[in-house]
Amino acid sequence: MVTSRECADLTKDGPFSEKPFNARVIAQAVGVSAFCLLPFQVIAQTLPGPEPIPDPEPSQDPFAGYSDALSQTTINGQITGAALVTTCATGLNGSEGAANNQRFQLDCGRIILGANTDESGSVQALNDLPAEQINAQNSVAVRSANLGVSIIQSRLAKLRLTGQPAADPSTLIADYPFGQSVTGGAAGGDLTTGRLGSFLNARYITGNADSTEYQPGYDFDGWSILGGADYRFDDNLIGGVAVRYADGKSDYDSNRGDLEGDSWGLSLYGSYSMDNGLFFDGLIGYAQSDYTMKRRINYTTGEFEAGGTTVDAASASQVATSDPNADVWNVNVGAGYTFYRDAWSVTPSLRLNYLQNAVDGYSETMSDPLGVGGSMALAIDSQTFESFTSDLGVQVSRAISSGSGVWIPQLRIGWVHEFENGQEQVGARFVNDINNQPLFVLTQTPDRDYADLSVGISAQFAGGRSAFVSYNTLLGYEDVTYNAINAGVRLEF
């Protein structure tokens, strides 16, 4: 066994001096116990008791339980566990801190030294303490922004096509899903629309994300509503504005808490089309998002002795609550070309979408600050999440005329590629740590390539009225299931 003196040399000048670190990986690299990095008496000094206890006999390893617990937890759990040891070793929270710092010192000792009698309890503590739930915030922002983009693109496609000349008006079929409408058909000129138009759309989404080494699994659902108005400045140029509201909730697996969020957004958009079928679109949007996150922290700690004092086994049952806010910007540009053949249309298109989700820094509050684990709230640094995707796809539509109007079944599939959105380190610290020891949370790595499939039907009626309904899902997106139902109405003047 490595002695306390040798461990001290390692922590002073060796690899353990670098923080934050993955304790287990470093320990394996140098071939010593993961908690050789601290003399046992240093931790003993931080716990209640009149005198520190001496180093253990060479045959003993007082950190064997905690070292084993670290090897069984997640990567984020290991990072958090290393930060706990580093800050508790100083003893400052217990010797110089206020009551909240002293409670933090005691909670820290319960997790570290209590692992010798309740190893599984320390494993659960290290699984629950990191704020891995923050991954869902970025997913919510992306889904909400993409809603506005897809509906507005749908709107622009309809307006482009109703302004184009055609020998048979029933061939003026939309080229982007879904809810686009056409002119012509059995009603003939009665379906012609004016320059000014308005629309209202609603969407319901549901799905789930599987648990990974960087995030807990969760189920999600939510709804959104978007309304707007636009104006045709001439036969080729369209511009408009849209407002959207979104509300949703994510429930984490194994009763680990939930995330609720709502957002208001504003978008400006436009489209320029040519008589030969070529078109260009553009959109810029902003949204303010407000979240309420609840992380459930439940674990047990074993009995242990330190400094001549026995600390009893205990159970922690806490809810860490926070209210982060975020500013979301997105920019979308695209181009495509529509081919017509009788009542059929085929529209290949390429779109680029950039999104930035800037989340303000925030601190958690515990449901029972004086109870076991009540000192372990986290302060999370501000973070900026970026996504840059391309969508290369094709839509096929067919116009079917009837006595009531024109009905348009539609199908679109697109290949989506993510260029940005890499794994990030979100900085954090324990609120009650007098040392402000830094740690971080590693976010989930996104899937780089997947398919976006949509099927639906839209209809154009007399007097410039139209409606649509559609279904959307993602194919080949690893660890995520996504389903959406969309519906809307439109009216031209």
Side-chain angles (χ1 to χ4, degrees):
M1 176 179 174
V2 181
T3 67
S4 293
R5 173 63 61 185
E6 293 169 325
C7 286
D9 291 339
L10 281 172
T11 57
K12 180 179 179 181
D13 300 313
F16 292 116
S17 62
E18 298 182 8
K19 299 185 283 290
F21 55 81
N22 184 318
R24 181 168 65 88
V25 172
I26 295 177
Q28 291 173 344
V30 299
V32 298
S33 169
F35 289 96
C36 168
L37 61 102
L38 296 176
F40 179 67
Q41 63 180 15
V42 174
I43 290 186
Q45 288 172 344
T46 70
L47 298 171
E51 298 291 339
I53 63 177
D55 280 355
E57 295 296 326
S59 61
Q60 300 174 346
D61 183 356
F63 306 112
Y66 193 53
S67 182
D68 289 343
L70 270 181
S71 68
Q72 299 174 55
T73 190
T74 64
I75 291 178
N76 283 319
Q78 293 172 19
I79 295 169
T80 301
L84 280 176
V85 171
T86 302
T87 191
C88 286
T90 68
L92 294 179
N93 282 285
S95 62
E96 300 182 11
N100 61 309
N101 306 119
Q102 294 173 9
R103 286 192 294 271
F104 173 76
Q105 190 74 47
L106 180 57
D107 280 335
C108 183
R110 283 182 169 127
I111 296 171
I112 295 173
L113 298 179
N116 284 323
T117 54
D118 187 357
E119 184 178 301
S120 62
S122 292
V123 172
Q124 187 60 51
L126 295 175
N127 283 337
D128 283 0
L129 289 179
E132 295 180 317
Q133 291 90 331
I134 60 177
N135 282 281
Q137 296 175 9
N138 295 325
S139 299
V140 169
V142 170
R143 287 192 294 265
S144 180
N146 286 345
L147 163 70
V149 170
S150 64
I151 291 178
I152 291 172
Q153 289 172 349
S154 169
R155 170 67 177 171
L156 288 174
K158 187 266 177 184
L159 291 175
R160 271 196 312 268
L161 292 168
T162 55
Q164 298 300 313
D168 180 358
S170 67
T171 64
L172 294 179
I173 307 169
D175 67 340
Y176 199 87
F178 287 109
Q180 305 87 323
S181 55
V182 300
T183 60
D190 292 339
L191 300 182
T192 303
T193 61
R195 289 184 176 272
L196 179 65
S198 63
F199 58 97
L200 184 67
N201 298 268
R203 169 179 288 189
Y204 174 75
I205 64 170
T206 184
N208 63 80
D210 295 337
S211 177
T212 71
E213 59 182 340
Y214 299 107
Q215 72 172 24
Y218 60 92
D219 298 324
F220 61 85
D221 65 355
W223 60 273
S224 305
I225 188 168
L226 184 145
D230 41 53
Y231 187 79
R232 182 187 299 279
F233 296 96
D234 59 39
D235 288 344
N236 300 99
L237 180 62
I238 303 162
V241 59
V243 178
R244 62 181 171 87
Y245 174 77
D247 183 273
K249 183 176 181 179
S250 300
D251 290 305
Y252 299 103
D253 296 348
S254 303
N255 195 33
R256 293 190 63 181
D258 58 69
L259 172 70
E260 296 183 5
D262 60 72
S263 66
W264 285 95
L266 178 70
S267 299
L268 302 175
Y269 58 91
S271 178
Y272 181 78
S273 58
M274 300 181 182
D275 293 341
N276 62 2
L278 182 66
F279 64 86
F280 303 91
D281 289 345
L283 175 150
I284 182 169
Y286 167 80
Q288 171 68 52
S289 298
D290 300 308
Y291 304 104
T292 297
M293 182 188 295
K294 296 180 179 179
R295 299 195 303 118
R296 296 190 180 276
I297 300 173
N298 300 293
Y299 61 88
T300 60
T301 61
E303 178 184 286
F304 66 95
E305 291 188 5
T309 299
T310 298
V311 180
D312 294 333
S315 296
S317 180
Q318 299 284 347
V319 178
T321 302
S322 58
D323 298 294
N325 300 313
D327 296 304
V328 184
W329 290 92
N330 68 293
V331 178
N332 181 278
V333 295
Y337 191 92
T338 302
F339 301 89
Y340 299 103
R341 184 177 180 84
D342 298 326
W344 291 87
S345 72
V346 178
T347 304
S349 62
L350 173 64
R351 301 188 180 277
L352 302 175
N353 190 62
Y354 171 80
L355 179 139
Q356 182 187 88
N357 183 37
V359 183
D360 297 336
Y362 60 93
S363 295
E364 298 177 321
T365 58
M366 287 295 197
S367 56
D368 182 11
L370 303 181
V372 177
S375 68
M376 308 302 280
L378 289 174
I380 307 297
D381 293 346
S382 61
Q383 54 181 297
T384 300
F385 164 87
E386 294 181 307
S387 173
F388 179 48
T389 58
S390 63
D391 182 335
L392 179 62
V394 61
Q395 177 172 300
V396 178
S397 305
R398 188 180 191 279
I400 302 173
S401 297
S402 70
S404 58
V406 181
W407 299 84
I408 312 159
Q410 302 163 339
L411 181 147
R412 184 183 189 274
I413 188 167
W415 165 48
V416 181
H417 178 74
E418 175 66 67
F419 295 93
E420 189 71 40
N421 192 5
Q423 187 177 51
E424 298 182 3
Q425 297 181 4
V426 181
R429 62 178 179 83
F430 288 101
V431 172
N432 295 298
D433 179 15
I434 199 172
N435 297 309
N436 289 319
Q437 169 64 34
L439 59 116
F440 59 88
V441 179
L442 287 172
T443 63
Q444 176 68 22
T445 303
D447 202 341
R448 292 296 176 187
D449 296 279
Y450 57 94
D452 188 341
L453 175 66
S454 300
V455 293
I457 187 168
S458 63
Q460 178 74 48
F461 307 106
R465 295 173 292 115
S466 61
F468 79 97
V469 63
S470 68
Y471 168 76
N472 171 240
T473 190
L474 302 180
L475 303 176
Y477 198 110
E478 187 175 2
D479 300 320
V480 173
T481 300
Y482 175 86
N483 299 281
I485 299 293
N486 313 280
V489 295
R490 295 173 172 81
L491 182 64
E492 274 72 42
F493 304 96

